[in-house]
Amino acid sequence: MQAITKNFFLFLSNNKTLDRLAKQYGTRFGVDKLVGGETFSQAVPVIRQLNDEGLVVTVDHLGEFVDSEEEAKERAGEAVETVQAMFDHNLACEMSVKLTSLGLDISRELVIRNMERILDKAQALGITLQIDMEDSGRCQATIDVFKELRAKYPNVGLVIQSYLYRSDRDLDELDKYDPYVRLVKGAYKEPGTVAFQDKDMVDKNLKQLVKKHMLNGNYTAVGSHDEEVINFTKELAREHGISKDRFEFQMLYGMRNKLQHDLAKEGYTVRVYMPYGMEWYGYYMRRLAERPANIAFAVKGIFSR
């Protein structure tokens, strides 16, 4: 049944007619509850409102798997413009990027050049850039790019996924870089040869990774809507005297809004992960295909207030 569901959503993600209809009518069906806008300009007032409510933000321009050098350069240019706009509008906002949108699948040299172009601007303006983790086949290449950039840029962070067996070892190797890491469960459909298939094991490993990274003294972003994981993090901080400015909670835009605000009122940093862009339809359908359990989770998250 899971394979059938996956194939169904992959089919939908490639349907050009549905893609056109989604772009035309998507906001009427609640997509605006999950996506900040089709352009960054549309997302600006949404970000400002979240800031006014005591929440900080990270934005992700939807789109990945670029196979053209010219398009990768264009995406880098768009990111530079977005970083400048964040500064101009005085937003409490970071940027997340997917390396495949900047040329990772084309050449290492290209993605490094594009990242340096963005990071130069971001560093000059005091803005942090975080590298999203994609599928396991690109994990090592992503970490290698991060290590090279981290030697030059203190304003770059990385995402690590708890469902991968390798993640504990990756944190050990990254520790010497004093990394800002967002720890998440992971949403791609991965085989049992590289990833835990049992949810309880994924959750257990996420807690272990949170504990290791926080006790190593590194700034930690806990990317989870799971109150058990959140409470574990809060208790860990209390037990070891870790101040609230050494970690934060990150949640998706439109998901668990009340929980986000409750945590912020308790004095915790809460960062809202907000995607924006025209490519939301394919992105969202692929996410449902990669992990069909996200269907129920997304519906629950939208209506859980």
Side-chain angles (χ1 to χ4, degrees), residues 63-73 75 100-106:
E64 54 201 296
F65 307 126
V66 167
D67 57 10
S68 158
E69 182 171 343
E70 188 60 34
E71 186 178 355
K73 290 178 180 178
R75 293 303 298 267
T100 55
S101 74
L102 298 170
L104 181 67
D105 292 347
I106 301 172

Side-chain angles (χ1 to χ4, degrees), residues 16-233:
K16 297 186 184 301
T17 300
L18 290 178
D19 187 25
R20 287 195 300 271
L21 290 172
K23 290 175 181 176
Q24 184 175 357
Y25 298 110
T27 55
R28 300 184 186 181
F29 296 97
V31 173
D32 56 330
K33 291 183 172 65
L34 302 174
V35 177
E38 293 181 347
T39 66
F40 184 73
S41 295
Q42 292 177 353
V44 166
V46 184
I47 297 170
R48 183 174 290 115
Q49 180 179 343
L50 290 171
N51 288 169
D52 290 344
E53 295 170 357
L55 305 171
V56 293
V57 176
T58 188
V59 295
D60 171 28
H61 188 185
L62 294 171
E64 54 201 296
F65 307 126
V66 167
D67 57 10
S68 158
E69 182 171 343
E70 188 60 34
E71 186 178 355
K73 290 178 180 178
E74 289 176 3
R75 293 303 298 267
E78 292 167 358
V80 169
E81 292 174 1
T82 299
V83 167
Q84 182 66 58
M86 289 180 189
F87 179 81
D88 292 343
H89 290 282
N90 195 29
L91 301 174
C93 189
E94 298 178 353
M95 175 182 286
S96 288
V97 296
K98 292 179 174 61
L99 294 186
T100 55
S101 74
L102 298 170
L104 181 67
D105 292 347
I106 301 172
S107 76
R108 179 186 177 92
E109 293 74 17
L110 175 63
V111 75
I112 290 290
R113 286 200 308 271
N114 284 333
M115 282 295 295
E116 288 179 337
R117 181 181 171 193
I118 303 167
L119 283 164
D120 282 339
K121 171 63 75 172
Q123 183 167 265
L125 300 179
I127 292 173
T128 298
L129 196 74
Q130 196 161 52
I131 299 172
D132 279 338
M133 187 60 71
E134 301 178 69
D135 60 285
S136 62
R138 296 175 173 88
C139 184
Q140 188 60 53
T142 300
I143 290 175
D144 291 343
V145 169
F146 168 78
K147 288 178 179 179
E148 181 172 343
L149 294 170
R150 186 67 178 82
K152 181 178 178 182
Y153 299 98
N155 61 318
V156 63
L158 182 67
V159 175
I160 293 292
Q161 301 161 319
S162 73
Y163 67 174
L164 295 181
Y165 301 142
R166 60 174 292 165
S167 294
D168 185 73
R169 183 180 71 253
D170 287 335
L171 274 192
D172 287 337
E173 294 180 0
L174 289 166
D175 185 50
K176 64 183 177 182
Y177 294 89
D178 300 319
Y180 162 30
V181 169
R182 180 201 307 152
L183 296 169
V184 301
K185 295 180 183 180
Y188 291 87
K189 178 63 180 174
E190 299 285 1
T193 52
V194 299
F196 296 109
Q197 303 298 300
D198 181 74
K199 179 183 181 300
D200 290 341
M201 289 301 298
V202 175
D203 293 347
K204 179 181 179 181
N205 199 40
L206 178 58
K207 292 176 184 177
Q208 291 175 342
L209 296 176
V210 168
K211 182 175 182 179
K212 170 173 283 192
H213 202 58
M214 289 178 67
L215 294 186
N216 282 345
N218 299 310
Y219 191 86
T220 305
V222 181
S224 178
H225 304 87
D226 189 332
E227 292 183 56
E228 183 177 337
V229 173
I230 290 168
N231 290 333
F232 170 85
T233 304

